[in-house]
Structure formats: C-alpha cells, structure tokens
Amino acid sequence: SEEWRTQMHDTLVNHKREALVQHKTQSANLQKQLEAVSLERDGLEHRKDKLLDELNEMEEAIKSLEEQIRQHSNKSAITDGRVNVAHARKKKRLDEEYEVLLEAVHTKRDQISDVDSKITACNDRRQEKEDAMKALERQLVEILVEQQKRLLGILTEAGRAAKIYGDAVKADKRAEDALHDHE
C-alpha cells in the first residue's frame, strides 16, 4: 500500500519534471513576447490613425486650394489693358502651394503604407508566437496524458495486488474454517 502511494507520488511530482519546468519557462517567455508584439501593434495602429487624420486634413486643404485656383482662374490677368502682376504672383503662389501639398500627400501615403507593412509584420509575429504557444500546450497535454496513463497503470497494478491479497485471505479463511469443521 505504501509502495503504491510512493509510486503515485513520484509519478505526480517527478514524471517529466524538467519538461514541465521548461514548458512553464517557455510559456511565460512566449506570453511576454505576445504582449510586446501587441503593444507594438497598438502603437502602430495609433500612429496610422494619426497619419490618416493628417491625410484627410491635407486632402481637404487640397480641395480648398483647388477651389481658390478655380476662382482665381476665372479672373483675367489683364485689367484695363494692363497685366495685373499681383494676379500673376497669386496664381504662381497658389500653384506652388498646390504642388507642395500634393507632394506632402504622396509622402503621407508612403508613411501610411510603411506603417501598414509594419502592422502586417506584427500580425505575422503574433501568429508565429500563438502557433508556438499552441505547440507547447500540445506537448503539455501529451505529458499529462502520459502521466495519467502511468497513474492508471499503478492503480491497476495496486487493484490486482489487492484482489490477489483478498483472494488469498479468503482462501486462507476457508482453509481455516474447513480445518475447524474437521476437528
């Protein structure tokens, strides 16, 4: 009886102990990495939202500037037979502002594309970490199933031994009773 308890205790405490300790360490490490990737992704999402807001403001500024250019183009550069220099300068300034804004929108879209690539990379890393975590969990389940099988084996063996002992006690009792009956 004490032998079976010792075997069961040993199975529960020591069976694949190093693998279980290693699993715990790897699991904690993967969890930290998942949290880091999640924080990085949240930061990138926040940055993308900010860039999209800035892009929307720039696009609104372009529309406004296009309207100013349209209105300005409806007025003639020649007034009373003379060239209006101020009109020409304003047209040039509006065209330059328009060009600068278009370039800035292009740059902003490149930045958004770059952030999108980083978000995709974060998602890929997160998926890799989650897959590794699932593999670790499968290994843990395998160890626990193996541990259960060993415990069942010990209990089955203990049950057999108890039955054999019980049968022997009964046989001994019958023999003793038979011996007393003959006396």
Side-chain angles (χ1 to χ4, degrees):
S1 163
E2 188 60 36
E3 178 188 339
W4 304 120
R5 269 193 222 121
T6 303
Q7 284 184 13
M8 290 188 332
H9 180 267
D10 185 57
T11 297
L12 287 171
V13 174
N14 296 322
H15 180 67
K16 302 243 178 168
R17 181 184 190 120
E18 288 181 27
L20 291 171
V21 169
Q22 184 180 8
H23 175 274
K24 183 179 177 182
T25 303
Q26 288 175 338
S27 178
N29 186 19
L30 280 172
Q31 193 61 42
K32 285 180 186 173
Q33 291 176 20
L34 276 168
E35 289 171 12
V37 168
S38 182
L39 281 174
E40 180 182 355
R41 187 180 187 284
D42 289 348
L44 288 168
E45 287 288 348
H46 180 73
R47 182 166 176 222
K48 180 180 177 181
D49 289 343
K50 197 171 179 184
L51 288 170
L52 287 172
D53 288 345
E54 291 170 5
L55 180 63
N56 285 336
E57 288 175 17
M58 291 173 144
E59 288 172 345
E60 288 301 316
I62 286 174
K63 289 176 187 172
S64 171
L65 200 53
E66 286 173 338
E67 183 58 33
Q68 288 178 42
I69 290 171
R70 233 184 322 309
Q71 287 176 0
H72 192 71
S73 295
N74 288 337
K75 297 176 188 171
S76 175
I78 299 174
T79 310
D80 298 329
R82 301 189 64 190
V83 174
N84 185 341
V85 176
H87 183 276
R89 285 189 185 141
K90 183 174 182 181
K91 180 181 179 350
K92 184 178 179 185
R93 182 184 56 81
L94 289 173
D95 286 342
E96 286 172 356
E97 282 181 34
Y98 187 68
E99 213 173 293
V100 167
L101 260 177
L102 288 177
E103 186 59 39
V105 164
H106 179 73
T107 300
K108 195 64 67 179
R109 286 191 175 135
D110 286 347
Q111 290 172 344
I112 291 170
S113 179
D114 183 49
V115 169
D116 279 338
S117 297
K118 290 177 181 176
I119 289 172
T120 299
C122 272
N123 289 338
D124 292 345
R125 282 197 316 277
R126 186 187 78 227
Q127 188 61 51
E128 288 171 15
K129 303 297 178 200
E130 287 175 353
D131 291 346
M133 187 70 89
K134 287 176 188 171
L136 266 179
E137 289 168 356
R138 276 193 301 277
Q139 290 171 357
L140 177 62
V141 167
E142 289 171 8
I143 290 171
L144 294 176
V145 166
E146 194 177 311
Q147 188 181 55
Q148 282 182 332
K149 286 179 181 176
R150 288 185 73 175
L151 283 174
L152 281 172
I154 291 167
L155 289 171
T156 302
E157 195 58 40
R160 279 193 211 125
K163 183 174 183 342
I164 292 170
Y165 176 75
D167 290 348
V169 168
K170 286 178 189 173
D172 192 39
K173 175 82 168 128
R174 281 193 302 261
E176 206 175 286
D177 288 346
L179 190 62
H180 286 302
D181 287 345
H182 284 299
E183 288 177 4

